[in-house]
Amino acid sequence: MNAEKVYLSTVTPVFRGAAYLRQLVAELETVRAGLAQRDIPLELLEAIFVSDGASDDSDEVLAELTAKYSWVRVVHLSRNFGQHPATIGGILHSSGDWVATLDEDLQHHPRFLIPLLARAVAGNEDVVYASAIKVHRSWFRNSSSRLYKALISRLVGNPQIRKFNSFRMLRGSIARAAAAVAAPDSYFDVVLCWFTNRLDALPLPLVDIRSQTRAPSSYDLSSLLRHARRMLISSQIKPLRLGALVGTLALATSIVLSVVTLVLKLLYPERIEVRGWTSLMLVSAFFGGLISVLVVIILEYMSTLLTQAQGKPTFFVVDRSKDRLLHDLLGQQDPG
Amino acid sequence: MILLTEAGVGQPAKTIAIFGAGLIGEATARALGRHAALCRDIFPLDWSNAERQERQLAALESKLTEALVEAANASPCVDLLWSAGRAGFGAGLGETTHELASFQAVLALAVRLAANSPGARIIFHLISSAGGLFEGQRQVDCRAVAAPRRPYSLLKQRQEELLAAAPIASRVYRLSSVYGFVRPGQRIGLISILLLNGLRHRVTHINGRMSTLRDFVFAEDIADFLARAILVDIALAAHPVILAHGKPTSIWEIQRLIESVIGRRIYLSYSLMPENSEDSTFSPAVLPSGWRPSDLASNIRRIYHEALRSGAAFSQPQR
């Protein structure tokens, strides 16, 4: 193998994909053959399928595909862990310079792999997400997903969350580093943000074949809710700091007003019409503010310990020098 | 050198000579002992003095010949396992030349044994290096071409060539990056070094990058496979065989695994101009049937507990 070559791996979690896998691999083969024909230093090295406790005939289909294509690899998880852990497992088995994650049902069509990679190389990015022009036919699902991402993005102060999508092109070293530290409850894309802020999104016309054919989705409402929960708890929440600010204000106000009240009491006692009420309010504001500040300090400590335990790195080194091999060759790819 | 003979009522039918009682040799001797009732002898072999080594090999040859003659009616078999590796991955030409001379002497012994005992099965097992032969290659499969880049890799390639040309039955096992239990005075591999230095709050210098990918195999898995290959004579589809895990692992991932096992941060420093930073990974399709590599995370825990239990964590290992 030529050392001066860029290798691409794909990772696909499989749960209920028997009906789509043959076509998916055929499309990947088309991409692979196309790259070989173009004689550019880019090779689709491997397509890793992670059988996430598949509930249909996916394992049999994958065995058949592995026998047919030497570049198809299968990783069997011991039970159904969910889409994120399956993706993480697949990434940890990859060795490409770039790793693309795509769903089993052709919603994430392999023909978009090269445009995603081209965008990443052109923009010197580490992660490029597909931004669906229109994904699901369900208005409710599209809107709720967008709304939730916008809400969480605002809540945790991470604007990148709006770009998150399970169809992504990742720099291999960063993908594997993030996958290595991701805990069971971590949201993989939030962990990716610990390693890079070079994230971009490429609008693509994705089509949800399952919803068109009314086939059941691999991941139902409960798994989508688990997704949402995971995203929230993986992020540090900004309102905590808002709580600290409110507490500090209450504390400072109570101290200032106490001084004012004391001066009034000593110099102009006749101006105090209701006795006891002011003192009560000031004591409440003082201790309320103090407790709020202390609680936020404790929560900040816990948050720091949690992210440390989850493996948030102090630094991470990345080598982007191989991008130059593809920069001019891929050029501007038409996503359509 | 370890000499193992099959214990029994009759004459010994199987004799195994292990050259190199290091990480793999010692583990293989233990694995053979688990699989069969064998008598174990330690045979002196001097690696630094050629003359003394010649005398010791002559003594060994006469002992093996004697065993073959005694068991002439019991289909005797002698397996010679070359797992010696004084010259490590970063060895210079001088060290590898010295090691090649020792290898040639042992190979010549095996050839003479085979020639003098036509009724006996003499098999030479060579531990080679997949990491060295395929350095810098990814997803190495059956189509991959060996491309050694350093004296150590050239040594392994030359050993394979000499063995292939010798008129003797042989088997070659190409290993990826090996790690194993900590034994005082032995080379133990990168993972155990990181573990020990982590326990001692010492810095480990890495001649690679955080993202460098390697394929790590556990010495005990290799030993178990070798023991079955020697005792049961299992059929191997390809020759030579690659014993790798099939899952690439980055230095960063190793660091995280070790930190989670020992419960503290480990200190690493990296070369600015790393000489050994290219990724080397292997396709699972190239692995032989019957080869069952075990889980890295579990093995790191085993090494950690074994090092603490035996006190090896506090002794001085070689890298």
Side-chain angles (χ1 to χ4, degrees), chain B residues 254-301:
Chain B
I254 295 287
Q255 181 182 353
R256 288 291 306 153
L257 286 172
I258 291 174
E259 285 176 348
S260 71
V261 169
I262 66 176
R264 67 165 78 126
R265 293 255 172 181
I266 60 171
Y267 310 119
L268 302 182
S269 70
Y270 292 89
S271 296
L272 280 175
M273 299 288 283
E275 292 170 2
N276 190 15
S277 67
E278 282 197 52
D279 300 333
S280 292
T281 65
F282 297 85
S283 166
V286 82
L287 307 179
S289 60
W291 163 243
R292 290 183 290 273
S294 54
D295 174 56
L296 177 62
S298 317
N299 291 336
I300 289 176
R301 281 185 194 282

Side-chain angles (χ1 to χ4, degrees), chain B residues 139-160:
Chain B
Q139 287 299 305
V140 168
D141 57 18
C142 51
R143 294 166 300 164
V145 179
R149 293 182 180 183
R150 56 184 75 227
Y152 173 77
S153 318
L154 288 166
L155 164 73
K156 287 296 167 190
Q157 191 178 45
R158 185 73 190 123
Q159 286 177 343
E160 286 191 12

Side-chain angles (χ1 to χ4, degrees), chain A residues 1 73 92 94-95 97 177 322, chain B residues 138-139 246-248 252 281 284:
Chain A
M1 287 190 192
R73 294 177 52 198
L92 285 176
S94 71
S95 51
D97 296 301
K322 266 191 166 185
Chain B
R138 268 183 268 192
Q139 287 299 305
K247 178 199 168 292
W252 170 259
T281 65

Side-chain angles (χ1 to χ4, degrees), chain A:
Chain A
M1 287 190 192
N2 184 0
E4 278 295 276
K5 209 172 186 183
V6 178
Y7 296 105
L8 172 64
S9 305
T10 65
V11 171
T12 305
V14 176
F15 180 61
R16 204 181 284 156
Y20 309 96
L21 290 171
R22 287 189 189 88
Q23 195 188 340
L24 176 58
V25 171
E27 297 290 350
L28 285 167
E29 171 62 21
T30 306
V31 172
R32 200 177 134 82
L35 288 172
Q37 275 176 2
R38 287 176 67 186
D39 194 30
I40 58 174
L42 173 63
E43 181 183 332
L44 178 56
L45 181 69
E46 58 191 348
I48 299 170
F49 291 88
V50 185
S51 174
D52 184 18
S55 63
D56 60 2
D57 296 336
S58 296
D59 285 347
E60 289 75 22
V61 177
L62 286 172
E64 173 198 319
L65 291 167
T66 312
K68 191 173 175 187
Y69 300 99
S70 62
W71 47 273
V72 171
R73 294 177 52 198
V74 183
V75 176
H76 294 277
L77 300 191
S78 56
R79 67 169 175 85
N80 175 243
F81 284 87
Q83 189 181 17
H84 265 234
T87 305
I88 288 167
I91 288 171
L92 285 176
H93 280 79
S94 71
S95 51
D97 296 301
W98 290 91
V99 180
T101 60
L102 51 163
D103 285 357
E104 65 194 354
D105 56 8
L106 284 160
Q107 179 182 319
H108 304 154
H109 201 282
R111 73 170 184 272
F112 298 130
L113 289 174
I114 304 304
L116 280 171
L117 182 57
R119 170 64 74 94
V121 171
N124 219 4
E125 309 289 352
D126 293 324
V127 182
V128 175
Y129 291 99
S131 169
I133 294 170
K134 188 181 179 187
V135 201
H136 309 291
R137 283 204 162 171
S138 160
W139 172 87
F140 172 74
R141 200 169 153 186
N142 277 336
S143 311
S144 58
S145 170
R146 260 202 306 274
L147 189 69
Y148 183 78
K149 280 181 184 172
L151 184 71
I152 298 288
S153 176
R154 187 62 65 87
L155 204 59
V156 304
N158 182 354
Q160 309 283 15
I161 285 178
R162 289 166 188 262
K163 297 176 187 165
F164 289 178
N165 191 303
S166 57
F167 189 18
R168 17 169 143 68
M169 180 64 67
L170 308 153
R171 193 176 293 282
S173 55
I174 285 181
R176 284 182 285 270
V181 302
D185 260 336
S186 303
Y187 197 90
F188 180 61
D189 299 278
V190 174
V191 177
L192 271 175
C193 293
W194 293 349
F195 290 84
T196 183
N197 53 10
R198 293 191 183 192
L199 293 92
D200 199 1
L202 179 67
L204 292 172
L206 306 182
V207 181
D208 186 356
I209 294 171
R210 282 192 209 263
S211 71
Q212 281 183 351
T213 57
R214 300 193 182 280
S217 170
S218 289
Y219 296 97
D220 53 12
L221 182 66
S222 67
S223 66
L224 291 174
L225 287 174
R226 276 202 302 276
H227 239 54
R229 177 187 146 269
R230 192 177 279 160
M231 187 188 284
L232 192 63
I233 62 168
S234 299
S235 310
Q236 284 180 305
I237 301 170
K238 276 205 162 177
L240 275 183
R241 285 171 193 168
L242 192 67
L245 186 68
V246 171
T248 310
L249 277 175
L251 193 63
T253 309
S254 68
I255 291 168
V256 171
L257 290 179
S258 297
V259 172
V260 171
T261 309
L262 191 64
V263 170
L264 277 176
K265 172 81 178 167
L266 293 174
L267 301 179
Y268 311 101
E270 69 282 1
R271 288 192 185 177
I272 300 171
E273 292 174 0
V274 182
R275 289 174 184 273
W277 186 85
T278 314
S279 319
L280 195 65
M281 287 308 291
L282 288 175
V283 167
S284 296
F286 180 81
F287 283 105
L290 187 66
I291 289 167
S292 298
V293 171
L294 290 177
V295 166
V296 170
I297 289 172
I298 291 167
L299 288 176
E300 283 278 334
Y301 273 126
M302 285 177 66
S303 174
T304 306
L305 285 174
L306 187 68
T307 50
Q308 201 177 340
Q310 283 180 332
K312 190 173 184 176
T314 311
F315 69 93
F316 189 75
V317 179
V318 67
D319 178 10
R320 299 189 179 97
S321 60
K322 266 191 166 185
D323 290 2
R324 70 186 150 72
L325 292 172
L326 300 179
H327 197 275
D328 298 328
L329 291 165
L330 289 181
Q332 286 301 309
Q333 292 282 323
D334 176 17

